[in-house]
Amino acid sequence: MGFIKNILGRIFALWAAIIFIFTMLIVYFPMLITGLWKEPKRSYLMHNIYHVWMQVFFFLTGIRLRVKGKENFEIGKNYVIVFNHNSMMDVPVSVPFMPGANKTIAKIEILRTPLFGMVYKRGSVLVDRKSEESRKMSYIKMKEVLEMGLHMCIYPEGTRNKTAQPLQRFHDGAFRLSFDTGKPVLPAIIFNSVKVLPRKLFFFWPGKIELHYLDPVSPKNFPSVEKLKEHVFNVMQEYYLKNNKY
């Protein structure tokens, strides 16, 4: 059975790659055109394109997405949104299906990817993690994203969780950003993305993914960045353990 699943998983992966590239080529020109607008209008247009693109991609590749907790987004407010991170599928799940335009933090190396580099650049704050100057500039840019009224999406674990634990240790950045700007942290949990796109070479398995948005957390209720980070970590871990049915 495992052998058959491995074969099918690679066939599905080939199909998903073809669909991804084909649909990206269709939306590439509209994305290019958004460059005619200044921010934040550009990001609102890009968000609509991302949303339609991923709806089509998910439908054609057999991904069923359930989003819960949209009511936790208050109209007229924007947030520092923090996600758990288990799979490369997490960004296509989170960014396009969020209520409202947003940007995410991304490694600058992705710019080297033909065509996709431009797509990712438009929706991201890019950072070279090897450069102290780049990290400082990315923090300034994330503040600017929030000042424009956009959501800022961050994966505080820093990299994909390859452990058996629900979450890895959180870095300070997202919570310092919340403290410095006064913007609430809105925790979000993604379930089952790692089974759709696991950490193995060229494998894809159609299935159900869930994205749950939790109650926002105000930085004003905490005496320090560390206490805010600790609280959000505990909330997310407890929710994950209680609601993970996969």
Side-chain angles (χ1 to χ4, degrees):
M1 187 66 181
F3 175 76
I4 294 173
K5 185 171 182 178
N6 279 332
I7 296 297
L8 288 174
R10 280 155 177 79
I11 293 172
F12 290 145
L14 178 60
W15 172 250
I18 291 170
I19 294 299
F20 184 85
I21 293 169
F22 178 73
T23 52
M24 182 178 67
L25 290 174
I26 292 174
V27 300
Y28 189 80
F29 185 68
M31 287 183 175
L32 209 57
I33 293 297
T34 63
L36 297 174
W37 284 269
K38 294 181 179 180
E39 294 287 10
K41 178 67 173 177
R42 181 190 302 161
S43 286
Y44 285 102
L45 294 171
M46 286 293 294
H47 185 256
N48 291 331
I49 295 171
Y50 287 145
H51 184 74
V52 173
W53 178 21
M54 286 300 106
Q55 278 187 317
V56 172
F57 175 74
F58 283 9
F59 175 76
L60 293 176
T61 56
I63 298 175
R64 304 180 309 281
L65 178 65
R66 180 193 179 207
V67 181
K68 181 180 178 182
K70 287 184 178 181
E71 67 276 6
N72 290 320
F73 287 78
E74 187 175 332
I75 295 174
K77 281 191 175 182
N78 61 323
Y79 303 90
V80 177
I81 305 178
V82 294
F83 298 88
N84 62 318
H85 193 19
N86 290 311
S87 168
M88 293 295 287
M89 185 57 67
D90 294 336
V91 173
V93 166
S94 56
V95 171
F97 296 97
M98 186 181 303
N102 58 85
K103 286 187 182 291
T104 188
I105 188 81
K107 294 182 289 185
I108 200 166
E109 291 86 350
I110 294 175
L111 279 181
R112 302 190 188 112
T113 308
L115 295 180
F116 186 68
M118 184 283 293
V119 173
Y120 215 78
K121 181 181 179 181
R122 285 280 166 87
S124 307
V125 172
L126 297 170
V127 58
D128 180 356
R129 295 180 181 179
K130 298 175 183 176
S131 166
E132 180 67 25
E133 184 63 26
S134 178
R135 290 199 296 270
K136 288 179 181 178
M137 285 304 301
S138 67
Y139 190 76
I140 293 170
K141 289 176 182 176
M142 286 192 288
K143 284 184 175 180
E144 291 172 353
V145 167
L146 292 169
E147 288 169 3
M148 288 189 290
L150 305 173
H151 304 304
M152 188 65 226
C153 309
I154 300 175
Y155 302 89
E157 294 167 282
T159 186
R160 285 176 292 164
N161 184 2
K162 300 176 183 178
T163 74
Q165 301 303 314
L167 299 171
Q168 296 182 104
R169 181 181 65 85
F170 282 178
H171 296 283
D172 290 349
F175 310 98
R176 188 170 302 281
L177 183 66
S178 171
F179 240 75
D180 288 349
T181 62
K183 299 293 183 180
V185 175
L186 198 153
I189 299 289
I190 301 171
F191 294 105
N192 209 42
S193 61
V194 72
K195 290 186 179 178
V196 172
L197 192 62
R199 294 178 295 274
K200 63 166 68 175
L201 184 63
F202 206 66
F203 186 96
F204 182 94
W205 196 259
K208 186 176 182 179
I209 298 175
E210 296 196 24
L211 170 57
H212 294 196
Y213 292 109
L214 313 185
D215 292 330
V217 179
S218 173
K220 298 176 183 177
N221 297 331
F222 298 89
S224 67
V225 170
E226 187 63 32
K227 290 295 183 183
L228 173 63
K229 180 179 72 172
E230 181 181 322
H231 173 79
V232 173
F233 181 94
N234 290 335
V235 165
M236 291 177 68
Q237 180 167 253
E238 182 180 340
Y239 188 92
Y240 186 97
L241 291 170
K242 185 177 180 181
N243 294 278
N244 183 23
K245 56 190 177 185
Y246 298 97

